Amino acid sequence: MYAYDEMDRTLVNERVSEFRDQVKRRLSGELTEDEFKMLRLMNGVYLQLHAYMLRVAIPYGTLSAPQLRKMAHVARKYDRGYGHFTTRQNIQFNWIKLSDLPDALEDLASVGIHAMQTSGNCVRNVTTDQWAGVAPGEVEDPRIWAELLRQYSTMHPEFTYLPRKFKIAITASDHDRAAIKVHDIGLRILNNEAGETGFEVLVGGGLGRTPFIGKVIKPFVHGRDILSYVESILRVYNQYGRRDNIYKARIKILVHELGIEKFAAEVEEEWQVTRESALQLDDEVVADIRARFRYPGYEALSDTPDELTAASADPQFTRWLKNSVAAHQQKGYAIVTLSLKPIGGPPGDATAEQMDAIADLAEKYSFGEIRVGHEQNLALPNVAKRDLPALWRQLDKLGLATPNVNLITDIIACPGLDYCSLANARAIPIAQELTRRFANHDLADMIGRLHINISGCINACGHHHVGHIGILGVEKNGEEFYQITIGGRADEGAVVGTLIGPAVPYDDVANVIEDIVESYLALRARPDELFVQTVERLGVEPFKERVYATR
Amino acid sequence: MPLVKKGAIAADAYLHVGDDAEIPVDGAALIPAARFLANAEALAKRNGPTGVIWPNNRDLDDLVPYLDGLSVVALVFPTFRDGRAYSQARLLRERYGYKGELRATGQVLRDQFVLMLRAGFDSFEVKKQADAEAFAATVKRYTVFYQPTGDGRITALHRRMQARHCANAG
């Protein structure tokens, strides 16, 4: 965990006080809605279909138990008793009154939580691997750099009114859980031959209506230079990014139109002037941030405790263990994923009661720490293996032990037409129907790792382009239709999925997905060939034939 | 529009010369970029301070040779959402060493004052009278800053280090 100090707390409080004044001026009519819109967005406040929505940042996906309890409090006091975890390491509250927002933000500020820059055309919440600091084999904890970037980008005087939103993600593992290739800037931490820490820098990735996979702009930028390098990218983008057309304003379009070589040359020229500036980090500054991350006092524990051996007789526990529990850096410990994807439930939702209970469990079993991943699940990152059976029993009672992590019912979905003013089609009910169709855990197990991503509109908040199966809602003549893509992925081998054919009506989506899955089971070369690998090997044709032969 | 200069509402000494109006030979004048560049040599001989209004999509390289002779550079925010002039301001101050008045014009609201000050602006043509009046209070709202810019404020990162050095020394 990162410990806020007095300065961090002061800034968050000053921000809340400014926002309180802005809300007051809006309510009195001193600020027009047009003027207020940008200001409220930069404080995480959207005007949705039915009400204001508050999006709260969870920097690098790390939460303390008191912070999660405060989320529960906000859900209970100002909202309807639940919150929604999103693909951006955020939590959203859907039903807060405008006049209550400053109070809600003040309550959150009391535990060092804020909504700064969770929307707007600025640098958004910097995201990273939800297993940062505990995943075996990582180069180093990417949250130290995420925090440096968070501080650097918070209220940046030059880059708060960029052409469009700007997203940065960091990974330090070979297996990319942060989807860095579909971000405006993707950073992969690595060590050079001299053993120094630095970054492979990618730029211009993104989804939305024009999906692009990020391109490498520089294979190695030394850690001390990362802020000046990011600043150089942002400065080139701020000056030359398109502002004439909102759909062409993202940096991916600038990179695409200029070409990566020309864009890289512009950035390089800028960087040669800025790299020796006050942005250069020295070891002491980095060490200072590193020192403010507190790590658990791990005990020397057995990797095969008796409690675990005894519980292994229970097939339900074993299933969950296999599905939801991952290896840890420390012997005797494990990372536990809490599925927020119950069969028939909206993906990513948690009730205030669940949040409180998770906070309690985190204190009891995970050194008080909780993580939020872009798959809309939570994790307890530091669980002693001997505690796994007891933890499982309690999670099961709370509905948080569905053993479907990374399986076909672990669906990522945007809020869709049920909440969002941009959406053309429903997303949540499609997800709910699919989880019911594939509720049988043996079947889901047999299918193996398969990511379904659903977006209710072209803006792609459900990241459908990079779902192994992507479902995109579109509207035709007042009816909801869905385009299906297959073969996408968001990890280190990121690729945009391929459309299999004409859009299908709402009622047919689940049938089509069943057809695709049946085709895969018939076509796969071996039981351990993943769906996405079968698509890579065979292309979309066999799936297309099966889906459209009888339709 | 009210002008805030040196932290207080001030009279604008500059005549804003339009695209077609004659450029006066005396007195303070603020001249659009295209006209300034077309008449740069003649303008250097004016009796009185000369300023230029520089649009946010025009390359600063064209302006740099003339900076020494200018008393005001006015940068433009066509809407408050368009942040290009923040980059221009920092480059003028921090890279090109411009020391004269740097004026923010266009859609300038109180909610941008802090960012503008930090980017190097020191005068503001403010859209609303009430915002201009609130200037002094508004710019005091923030006391913690995370990034270094040319305004010389010390970042939180370095304040922490200083505090630790002091503690160690003591």
Side-chain angles (χ1 to χ4, degrees):
Chain A
M1 290 293 302
Y2 176 72
Y4 263 40
D5 71 2
E6 198 49 41
M7 277 185 277
D8 299 303
R9 282 191 291 273
T10 300
L11 179 61
V12 172
N13 288 329
E14 287 169 346
R15 179 72 165 215
V16 173
S17 138
E18 181 187 44
F19 186 61
R20 191 179 288 284
D21 175 57
Q22 288 163 343
V23 169
K24 197 173 115 203
R25 283 188 286 140
R26 174 70 196 114
L27 291 173
S28 75
E30 234 183 295
L31 275 175
T32 65
E33 178 55 27
D34 185 49
E35 291 164 346
F36 182 59
K37 185 176 174 184
M38 240 8 221
L39 305 172
R40 68 169 158 77
L41 287 174
M42 277 189 271
N43 284 287
V45 180
Y46 280 76
L47 183 54
Q48 288 294 39
L49 213 50
H50 310 289
Y52 282 99
M53 178 198 95
L54 176 64
R55 180 185 290 160
V56 176
I58 299 168
Y60 29 88
T62 300
L63 274 176
S64 70
Q67 288 172 333
L68 185 57
R69 262 187 217 109
K70 197 59 85 173
M71 305 285 193
H73 157 81
V74 167
R76 208 175 274 127
K77 184 166 178 191
Y78 306 103
D79 206 279
R80 296 187 180 174
Y82 67 96
H84 175 72
F85 290 95
T86 81
T87 56
R88 290 282 315 152
Q89 297 187 320
N90 287 313
I91 184 169
Q92 294 180 178
F93 299 102
N94 282 298
W95 305 97
I96 303 193
K97 285 208 288 288
L98 181 59
S99 53
D100 281 345
L101 280 164
D103 289 342
L105 286 170
E106 193 172 309
D107 289 354
L108 291 167
S110 70
V111 290
I113 289 278
H114 62 80
M116 284 188 272
Q117 299 181 192
T118 54
S119 181
N121 294 338
C122 45
V123 180
R124 302 287 189 86
N125 187 30
V126 177
T127 55
T128 185
D129 186 345
Q130 70 267 29
W131 293 357
V134 291
E138 79 179 0
V139 179
E140 69 166 58
D141 189 340
R143 293 175 302 167
I144 289 145
W145 300 95
E147 174 59 23
L148 279 158
L149 281 160
R150 182 193 77 82
Q151 295 193 13
Y152 162 75
S153 59
T154 297
M155 289 198 60
H156 197 295
E158 185 178 346
F159 305 123
T160 297
Y161 295 93
L162 291 167
R164 277 289 269 144
K165 58 184 164 184
F166 202 91
K167 299 176 180 178
I168 302 176
I170 313 177
T171 184
S173 291
D174 289 338
H175 178 52
D176 174 12
R177 280 171 291 267
I180 65 163
K181 292 190 175 180
V182 289
H183 280 76
D184 296 298
I185 291 179
L187 300 172
R188 188 167 72 84
I189 299 182
L190 46 90
N191 288 328
N192 67 6
E193 282 166 8
E196 296 164 318
T197 302
F199 299 85
E200 178 187 45
V201 181
L202 289 87
V203 72
L207 301 174
R209 64 187 66 206
T210 327
F212 281 111
I213 299 300
K215 299 168 186 74
V216 175
I217 181 170
K218 201 141 177 99
F220 188 82
V221 173
H222 196 286
R224 66 173 168 256
D225 294 324
I226 194 61
L227 297 185
S228 61
Y229 197 76
V230 166
E231 176 145 306
S232 299
I233 292 175
L234 284 166
R235 182 167 288 156
V236 170
Y237 171 57
N238 194 34
Q239 288 178 100
Y240 302 113
R242 289 181 63 167
R243 291 174 194 260
D244 58 322
N245 179 337
I246 184 174
Y247 304 117
K248 296 188 173 176
R250 296 289 293 270
I251 195 173
K252 62 190 173 184
I253 304 292
L254 179 64
V255 172
H256 179 69
E257 287 182 353
L258 281 180
I260 184 68
E261 291 80 14
K262 188 133 187 285
F263 182 79
E266 289 276 347
V267 171
E268 190 67 24
E269 193 188 338
E270 181 63 34
W271 184 51
Q272 290 310 324
V273 190
T274 57
R275 63 186 296 189
E276 302 290 334
S277 70
L279 285 173
Q280 195 169 71
L281 297 165
D282 57 29
D283 291 345
E284 208 178 339
V285 166
V286 178
D288 200 45
I289 292 288
R290 189 174 280 124
R292 292 172 58 208
F293 276 85
R294 296 193 193 127
Y295 293 90
Y298 296 111
E299 295 172 70
L301 294 176
S302 161
D303 251 342
T304 50
D306 296 343
E307 294 86 343
L308 200 56
T309 317
S312 297
D314 181 342
Q316 287 202 57
F317 171 74
T318 313
R319 184 192 291 280
W320 173 81
L321 185 72
K322 179 173 159 237
N323 182 261
S324 307
V325 178
H328 197 284
Q329 284 176 9
Q330 300 290 327
K331 188 167 166 283
Y333 287 85
I335 306 165
V336 175
T337 300
L338 278 49
S339 169
L340 294 182
K341 317 291 178 66
I343 300 306
D349 277 8
T351 64
E353 290 68 35
Q354 282 176 324
M355 286 188 252
D356 276 340
I358 294 166
D360 292 345
L361 291 175
E363 277 174 346
K364 197 166 171 189
Y365 296 114
S366 185
F367 298 92
E369 197 174 326
I370 303 104
R371 303 292 181 86
V372 185
H374 78 84
E375 297 89 351
Q376 299 179 279
N377 288 322
L378 302 179
L380 298 179
N382 291 305
V383 181
K385 285 187 166 179
R386 66 173 180 219
D387 293 333
L388 287 169
L391 174 63
W392 171 69
R393 281 189 288 276
Q394 292 165 77
L395 288 175
D396 194 36
K397 275 185 215 149
L398 295 163
L400 296 165
T402 314
N404 61 349
V405 177
N406 288 322
L407 299 182
I408 191 166
T409 55
D410 185 4
I411 296 171
I412 290 175
C414 75
L417 199 52
D418 294 291
Y419 293 93
C420 180
S421 53
L422 300 173
N424 299 108
R426 286 169 287 173
I428 293 170
I430 297 270
Q432 290 170 309
E433 173 61 18
L434 285 170
T435 60
R436 285 188 285 262
R437 292 277 181 118
F438 293 98
N440 182 319
H441 294 311
D442 290 327
L443 173 64
D445 247 353
M446 187 174 71
I447 296 165
R449 187 175 187 125
L450 201 169
H451 299 164
I452 297 183
N453 292 50
I454 310 173
S455 299
C457 82
I458 193 83
N459 293 304
C461 293
H463 302 176
H464 63 276
H465 297 294
V466 288
H468 296 177
I469 297 178
I471 303 175
L472 165 65
V474 292
E475 184 251 310
K476 276 190 209 168
N477 306 322
E479 277 182 66
E480 294 161 278
F481 280 82
Y482 294 83
Q483 291 179 354
I484 315 288
T485 53
I486 61 173
R489 55 199 292 180
D491 55 13
E492 61 282 3
V495 59
V496 171
T498 308
L499 192 63
I500 62 162
V504 299
Y506 179 88
D507 289 333
D508 217 11
V509 173
N511 297 330
V512 167
I513 305 304
E514 277 186 344
D515 285 353
I516 290 171
V517 170
E518 279 171 24
S519 308
Y520 155 67
L521 291 174
L523 291 165
R524 69 182 176 186
R526 306 173 311 275
D528 65 347
E529 186 182 61
L530 298 183
F531 171 78
V532 76
Q533 294 168 329
T534 307
V535 177
E536 196 186 345
R537 182 168 56 83
L538 297 174
V540 301
E541 277 310 314
F543 297 93
K544 185 174 179 169
E545 273 169 36
R546 168 69 187 270
V547 168
Y548 293 100
T550 56
R551 285 187 174 85
Chain B
M1 282 187 211
L3 179 73
V4 174
K5 206 172 158 177
K6 295 192 175 120
I9 296 180
D12 188 357
Y14 282 77
L15 178 75
H16 293 230
V17 180
D19 282 332
D20 303 317
E22 200 173 317
I23 298 173
V25 287
D26 299 311
L30 206 48
I31 300 162
R35 296 194 71 192
F36 174 82
L37 292 174
N39 302 291
E41 276 183 42
L43 290 170
K45 299 181 186 108
R46 287 184 71 251
N47 292 318
T50 303
V52 65
I53 304 166
W54 199 259
N56 68 3
N57 58 359
R58 189 149 196 161
D59 204 329
L60 284 178
D61 288 348
D62 299 341
L63 178 63
V64 171
Y66 306 106
L67 285 176
D68 283 346
L70 289 168
S71 55
V72 175
V73 175
L75 299 176
V76 187
F77 293 85
T79 75
F80 63 90
R81 288 197 192 87
D82 186 336
R84 279 176 277 195
Y86 292 108
S87 286
Q88 290 179 320
R90 286 196 67 195
L91 290 172
L92 283 173
R93 288 291 194 217
E94 295 168 48
R95 186 161 304 168
Y96 302 117
Y98 174 66
K99 299 280 195 297
E101 179 181 335
L102 190 56
R103 189 182 286 198
T105 71
Q107 299 285 312
V108 176
L109 301 170
R110 77 174 78 171
D111 309 281
Q112 302 145 286
F113 289 156
V114 172
L115 300 178
M116 287 174 171
L117 276 171
R118 298 214 62 217
F121 289 100
D122 58 0
S123 80
F124 308 84
E125 277 182 35
V126 184
K127 193 178 155 207
K128 300 178 183 180
Q129 182 69 31
D131 284 4
E133 286 162 11
F135 185 88
T138 307
V139 300
K140 274 189 284 193
R141 197 180 287 289
Y142 287 97
T143 59
V144 175
F145 302 93
Y146 277 137
Q147 339 47 26
T149 67
D151 72 349
R153 294 183 215 240
I154 299 174
T155 65
L157 221 54
H158 287 90
R159 270 166 65 183
R160 281 187 202 108
M161 276 180 49
Q162 284 177 344
R164 210 186 39 233
H165 285 306
C166 291
N168 289 346

